[in-house]
Amino acid sequence: MKRFPPLEVLLALAVVLTGCGDFSGEAVQHAGVVTGPKDEMLLINPDSGVENFEMEAGFEGTLLLSDENCVIGRTVEGRDMALVFPAGTSLQGGNPLTVEVEGRSIEVGIPLSVTLGGGVISQGQLGKLLEKAPEQCRREETFYVQTVSTR
């Protein structure tokens, strides 16, 4: 019977383990909440900086403050969607309230002069992102923001 040296055993185990399981979306934990000066809530993905995928949809519409005090999006077609922003996004008080993302200020309640790039979250890769998000901030559809670009 042949004995394997310890280093070879560890390498073989590493190869076997890296080939097993579905690790897609593993870096994504759960949406966090950033609060504004009057306890407004904005959903963020604290792990957005470690993602290795890119979505290719766009969101055009308006950011609104819902009756539940959550920043949501209303599409140009009139659909309300939850929005999840990248880490580093913040809320700034004032009239109007603004979302600061990627060095740009987006006014809440004013039609967007930018397009939010990303995609609609399905039950697949990012489905677990909203599991621990406040119930009052969830909507039937969620747009996952990855980029901000001017039109």
Side-chain angles (χ1 to χ4, degrees), residues 31-34 39 53 68 72 74 124:
V33 176
V34 169
D39 294 325
F53 63 92
E68 298 88 5
I72 62 169
R74 180 166 292 152

Side-chain angles (χ1 to χ4, degrees), residues 42 63 71 85 89-91 98-101 104-106 108:
L42 180 76
L63 301 188
V71 175
F85 285 87
T89 302
S90 65
L91 284 171
T98 60
V99 175
E100 302 288 329
V101 58
R104 298 175 194 248
S105 296
I106 302 171
V108 175

Side-chain angles (χ1 to χ4, degrees), residues 59-62 64 72-81 141:
F59 176 90
E60 292 186 38
T62 304
L64 300 172
I72 62 169
R74 180 166 292 152
T75 67
V76 292
E77 295 86 16
R79 289 188 338 260
D80 286 353
M81 302 179 87
E141 291 183 288

Side-chain angles (χ1 to χ4, degrees), residues 2-151:
K2 182 178 179 183
R3 279 186 77 194
F4 292 102
L7 183 56
E8 289 179 5
V9 171
L10 288 176
L11 288 174
L13 183 59
V15 169
V16 169
L17 289 177
T18 57
C20 296
D22 177 16
F23 294 100
S24 63
E26 181 179 299
V28 176
Q29 299 299 317
H30 297 285
V33 176
V34 169
T35 56
K38 295 182 181 174
D39 294 325
E40 303 93 346
M41 292 180 278
L42 180 76
L43 299 178
I44 61 152
N45 175 10
D47 295 323
S48 61
V50 296
E51 296 169 340
N52 61 358
F53 63 92
E54 185 175 328
M55 299 172 129
E56 297 180 359
F59 176 90
E60 292 186 38
T62 304
L63 301 188
L64 300 172
L65 194 59
S66 72
D67 292 339
E68 298 88 5
N69 221 24
C70 298
V71 175
I72 62 169
R74 180 166 292 152
T75 67
V76 292
E77 295 86 16
R79 289 188 338 260
D80 286 353
M81 302 179 87
L83 298 172
V84 178
F85 285 87
T89 302
S90 65
L91 284 171
Q92 303 299 316
N95 191 15
L97 178 71
T98 60
V99 175
E100 302 288 329
V101 58
E102 292 187 352
R104 298 175 194 248
S105 296
I106 302 171
E107 297 176 331
V108 175
I110 309 294
L112 295 179
S113 59
V114 297
T115 299
L116 303 177
V120 176
I121 295 178
S122 67
Q123 294 302 316
Q125 186 175 17
L126 295 173
K128 292 187 176 195
L129 184 62
L130 294 175
E131 281 181 354
K132 293 187 180 177
E135 186 68 35
Q136 66 268 28
C137 292
R138 298 182 197 183
R139 295 292 182 273
E140 190 172 316
E141 291 183 288
T142 302
F143 190 84
Y144 184 69
V145 179
Q146 287 186 307
T147 61
V148 178
S149 59
T150 57
R151 290 188 208 177

